[in-house]
Amino acid sequence: MSEPSGGKSVTLHDVAREAGVSLITASRALSNPGLVSAKTIARVQQAVETTGYIPNLLAGGLKSRRSLTVAALVPNIAVAQFIPTVKALTDALDAAGYQLILGQTGYDHAREEALLGTMISRRPDGIVVTGLVHAQASRDRLRRSGIPVVETWDLSDRPVDMAVGFSHLKVGSAVAGYFLGKGWRRFGIATGDDHRAAVRREGFLSTLGHEVPTVRVPSPSSLGLGRQALRDLLALDPGIEAVFCSSDQLAQGVMEEARARGLRVPQDLAICGFGDADFAADMAPALTTVQIDGAGIGRLAADLVLARCRGEAVSAPVVDVGFRVVERGST
Amino acid sequence: MSEPSGGKSVTLHDVAREAGVSLITASRALSNPGLVSAKTIARVQQAVETTGYIPNLLAGGLKSRRSLTVAALVPNIAVAQFIPTVKALTDALDAAGYQLILGQTGYDHAREEALLGTMISRRPDGIVVTGLVHAQASRDRLRRSGIPVVETWDLSDRPVDMAVGFSHLKVGSAVAGYFLGKGWRRFGIATGDDHRAAVRREGFLSTLGHEVPTVRVPSPSSLGLGRQALRDLLALDPGIEAVFCSSDQLAQGVMEEARARGLRVPQDLAICGFGDADFAADMAPALTTVQIDGAGIGRLAADLVLARCRGEAVSAPVVDVGFRVVERGST
DNA sequence: CTGTTAGCGCCTTCAA
DNA sequence: TTGAAGGCGCTAACAG
């Protein structure tokens, strides 16, 4: 308990000396015990205890070229949407001995490019990005780095490397189709200002065949922004029958504002969100929304990266996890 | 654009050769340009361009003993409470060239201890943990590692190293005092099953002087769990006048359930949350809650770690960021 | 301002 | 089963 705390930190060299074996034998006893006799292993482990040795993964990684880290880039960790993905990714990686290095791009290409450089300089064994990498320079750099890359929450014909996501265009189409099937004809859109939400809107409009009153709010969206969005939408068209929101947080705000104005949901105003957040099913009325398996995306991304790390061939580098319009009381 | 992608990766050695300077001069041109002539810097930068060099921070860190990483341990990234802290921490560190390595302890001491070992083996320049480190073995190990440590979201007389937080006991007391001041006498508590929420409950009870019907729900708490909690609380005591919730998510659920039962808030049931989530002020009625500056905690933690990294003496290693009971419509 | 010399702590390759 | 040598890519420390 009173180890030499002030001096230099304990290295494998100290452990080897304490155990009376060579450096490399100590190394093998810890990281490749199959090659070492049981007695020696015991001695080395004893030496680890008495010296308080903690291995230095940086040093090991320099030679072995495995850092046991994976970089994850999200636009903004405060966007609730991506939390289940980050959590599942972290959990799956941790179970395999890998840790996650987190970076935020702020929905900005220049920032993303700079951050990718920083991340590559840490030599992660994999890079998981939210959304597709659009800047060509970044795509080239990633490819040249040789690091396995998974683009998530979107799909592409030509991913940088691998992809796990779904079609935002189809999501928009599906919601429009669902609304039309219910007999509604006057719509509004409340949307965050990010690229993928814009694509969902495009899908919605293309199925509809015409423009729709739209209110844009900054990311991350919130209940308060949803309330404001409905106020603005009703100012644009007081006769709106149904609103498509780019997040469940916005949808919750729209519902709150509708309630405050004495509008009945769904009779006077129908609402559809996106994401199936943890609160969506328990609202009153429960929120109709587009369910995305965010945790599944994280797990799959981890699986792909880990498979590459083990040198396995990945048979399906692009995975469509799909989505589902979940009908509940708000429509 | 058609660099040697298959072969070995480009090292500083290649850059130096390309630029016609020695290895160390190339190194300095990039990381310490003040010591190198402008002409040489330009030549080296040109060589970086043509070779597509990306530095290897692991190798540099081995010698310089700075990994430019900080480890952050949270119980669970899905607990909304901590997101602003993680975000602010990430942003502040990024601005200083540091990246964050994320780990989840799952509110479990054994898991925390194992994770701390893993993190220390990555030689981060700082470790930020959520809550206090309780296991003595972990505390000892952290101290011996010599790595700057900041415990957050709580306070202690004897932190491992540094701390940024507030007193959960005082929070509970303050809410009880506030409730009593409003003239209410019959209370309920809806709480997550984590240690700090339990301490807030203790503070509440000690100011009150007697027990109170309590419903515990698993973490992370949610709107759905809040609805269930109110059902259970009213089963324990149908005459409850005010409920103290351990999170705003729970409080939102309690409010939703109250509304569903035709209880008026606050006339029939008053509600106080904890955390001042982004939706709290925009609910109808707006939610009375305990405001914590989560982003401020993250920024301060980053400041403390970075100060230590620069070798500066930290004059106030324990910072109480306090809290504020924000009165809104729900009480 | 630039270069030479030694490693950082560990792991891979070869030999015993 | 164990050991000795060498090097991963880079940077402190000292010279020039």
Side-chain angles (χ1 to χ4, degrees):
Chain A
M1 286 303 156
S2 54
E3 312 308 324
S5 58
K8 310 179 57 56
S9 76
V10 179
T11 76
L12 194 53
H13 184 230
D14 303 315
V15 174
R17 202 160 25 105
E18 174 78 21
V21 298
S22 76
L23 184 69
I24 182 58
T25 299
S27 169
R28 284 199 275 249
L30 297 178
S31 54
N32 216 340
L35 302 176
V36 180
S37 75
K39 218 175 66 186
T40 306
I41 292 176
R43 277 228 306 282
V44 170
Q45 276 172 344
Q46 177 57 43
V48 167
E49 294 289 326
T50 61
T51 56
Y53 171 70
I54 295 187
N56 182 332
L57 246 43
L58 302 182
L62 189 55
K63 186 70 188 175
S64 68
R65 310 183 148 287
R66 290 176 308 121
S67 65
L68 296 179
T69 60
V70 169
L73 267 58
V74 294
N76 180 335
I77 187 70
V79 175
Q81 208 75 221
F82 303 129
I83 301 285
T85 300
V86 172
K87 169 154 179 54
L89 190 59
T90 308
D91 287 341
L93 291 174
D94 184 280
Y98 287 70
Q99 257 69 47
L100 187 134
I101 303 180
L102 185 68
Q104 297 181 97
T105 61
Y107 288 107
D108 175 38
H109 284 188
R111 175 106 194 72
E112 175 173 272
E113 191 164 349
L115 196 55
L116 278 171
T118 307
M119 288 304 187
I120 293 174
S121 74
R122 299 189 180 282
R123 300 295 189 268
D125 297 324
I127 298 181
V128 176
V129 300
T130 307
L132 304 174
V133 177
H134 287 102
Q136 190 58 43
S138 297
R139 301 173 60 84
D140 292 338
R141 211 137 72 121
L142 280 173
R143 286 227 184 77
R144 263 177 294 152
S145 76
I147 300 171
V149 174
V150 186
E151 293 167 285
T152 63
W153 279 86
D154 208 338
L155 289 179
S156 164
D157 296 338
R158 41 175 201 88
V160 169
D161 182 7
M162 303 176 280
V164 182
F166 57 93
S167 162
H168 291 262
L169 208 61
K170 285 188 188 166
V171 166
S173 275
V175 172
Y178 171 71
F179 277 3
L180 290 172
K182 299 288 277 190
W184 298 314
R185 293 295 176 269
R186 290 177 74 170
F187 306 113
I189 292 180
T191 180
D193 62 356
D194 73 276
H195 171 70
R196 286 175 290 282
V199 174
R200 295 196 292 276
R201 176 172 177 274
E202 275 175 41
F204 187 90
L205 296 182
S206 80
T207 290
L208 221 59
H210 59 80
E211 271 292 327
V212 152
T214 298
V215 171
R216 281 185 191 73
V217 304
S219 289
S221 58
S222 65
L223 190 150
L225 290 169
R227 295 192 68 163
Q228 183 62 49
L230 182 58
R231 284 195 288 272
D232 295 348
L233 274 178
L234 292 177
L236 291 172
D237 177 3
I240 287 175
E241 297 166 307
V243 181
F244 178 31
C245 303
S246 71
S247 76
D248 286 355
Q249 283 73 22
L250 275 184
Q252 197 176 32
V254 168
M255 195 182 292
E256 190 84 58
E257 183 64 21
R259 191 147 45 188
R261 288 169 167 253
L263 294 172
R264 291 164 307 159
V265 176
Q267 297 91 333
D268 301 325
L269 187 75
I271 305 171
C272 178
F274 174 80
D276 196 22
D278 63 358
F279 55 80
D282 294 304
M283 292 167 60
L287 182 66
T288 292
T289 187
V290 181
Q291 190 176 72
I292 307 293
D293 184 7
I297 291 175
R299 272 191 302 271
L300 274 167
D303 287 349
L304 289 175
V305 164
L306 293 174
R308 274 287 172 76
C309 291
R310 287 189 298 263
E312 299 169 9
V314 170
S315 56
V318 176
V319 182
D320 186 346
V321 298
F323 61 88
R324 207 159 64 82
V325 178
V326 182
E327 179 168 37
R328 300 201 183 104
S330 70
T331 49
Chain B
M1 283 302 156
S2 55
E3 310 309 323
S5 58
K8 309 181 56 57
S9 75
V10 179
T11 75
L12 194 53
H13 184 225
D14 303 315
V15 174
R17 201 159 24 106
E18 174 78 19
V21 298
S22 75
L23 186 66
I24 184 63
T25 299
S27 169
R28 285 198 275 248
L30 296 177
S31 53
N32 218 339
L35 301 175
V36 180
S37 76
K39 218 174 65 185
T40 306
I41 291 174
R43 277 227 308 282
V44 170
Q45 275 170 347
Q46 177 57 43
V48 167
E49 294 288 326
T50 61
T51 56
Y53 171 71
I54 294 186
N56 183 330
L57 246 44
L58 302 182
L62 190 56
K63 183 69 187 176
S64 68
R65 313 184 144 285
R66 290 174 308 121
S67 64
L68 296 178
T69 60
V70 169
L73 267 60
V74 295
N76 181 334
I77 187 71
V79 174
Q81 207 76 217
F82 304 128
I83 300 286
T85 300
V86 172
K87 169 150 177 57
L89 189 59
T90 308
D91 288 341
L93 291 174
D94 185 280
Y98 288 70
Q99 257 67 47
L100 186 135
I101 303 179
L102 186 67
Q104 297 181 97
T105 61
Y107 288 107
D108 175 38
H109 284 187
R111 174 105 195 74
E112 175 172 273
E113 191 164 352
L115 195 56
L116 279 171
T118 307
M119 289 302 186
I120 293 174
S121 74
R122 298 189 179 283
R123 300 296 188 269
D125 296 325
I127 298 180
V128 176
V129 299
T130 307
L132 305 175
V133 177
H134 287 102
Q136 189 58 42
S138 297
R139 300 174 61 85
D140 290 339
R141 210 137 71 124
L142 281 172
R143 287 228 183 75
R144 262 178 294 153
S145 76
I147 300 171
V149 174
V150 186
E151 294 166 285
T152 64
W153 280 86
D154 207 339
L155 288 179
S156 164
D157 296 339
R158 43 177 199 86
V160 169
D161 183 6
M162 301 175 281
V164 182
F166 57 93
S167 162
H168 290 262
L169 208 63
K170 284 186 188 167
V171 167
S173 275
V175 173
Y178 171 70
F179 276 4
L180 290 172
K182 298 288 277 190
W184 299 312
R185 293 296 176 267
R186 290 176 74 169
F187 307 113
I189 293 179
T191 179
D193 62 356
D194 72 276
H195 170 70
R196 286 175 291 280
V199 173
R200 295 196 292 276
R201 177 172 176 275
E202 273 174 44
F204 187 90
L205 296 183
S206 80
T207 291
L208 222 59
H210 59 79
E211 271 293 325
V212 154
T214 297
V215 171
R216 281 185 190 74
V217 303
S219 288
S221 58
S222 65
L223 189 150
L225 290 169
R227 295 191 68 162
Q228 183 61 51
L230 182 58
R231 283 196 287 274
D232 294 349
L233 274 177
L234 291 177
L236 291 173
D237 177 4
I240 287 175
E241 297 167 306
V243 180
F244 179 31
C245 304
S246 71
S247 76
D248 286 356
Q249 283 74 21
L250 275 184
Q252 199 177 28
V254 166
M255 196 183 292
E256 191 82 59
E257 182 64 21
R259 189 146 46 188
R261 291 172 165 249
L263 294 172
R264 294 165 304 161
V265 176
Q267 298 89 334
D268 301 324
L269 187 75
I271 304 171
C272 177
F274 174 80
D276 198 21
D278 63 359
F279 56 80
D282 294 304
M283 293 167 61
L287 182 65
T288 292
T289 188
V290 181
Q291 189 177 74
I292 307 294
D293 184 6
I297 291 176
R299 272 190 302 273
L300 274 167
D303 288 348
L304 290 175
V305 165
L306 293 173
R308 274 287 170 77
C309 290
R310 287 189 298 264
E312 298 169 8
V314 170
S315 56
V318 176
V319 183
D320 186 344
V321 298
F323 62 88
R324 208 159 62 83
V325 178
V326 182
E327 179 168 36
R328 299 200 182 104
S330 71
T331 50

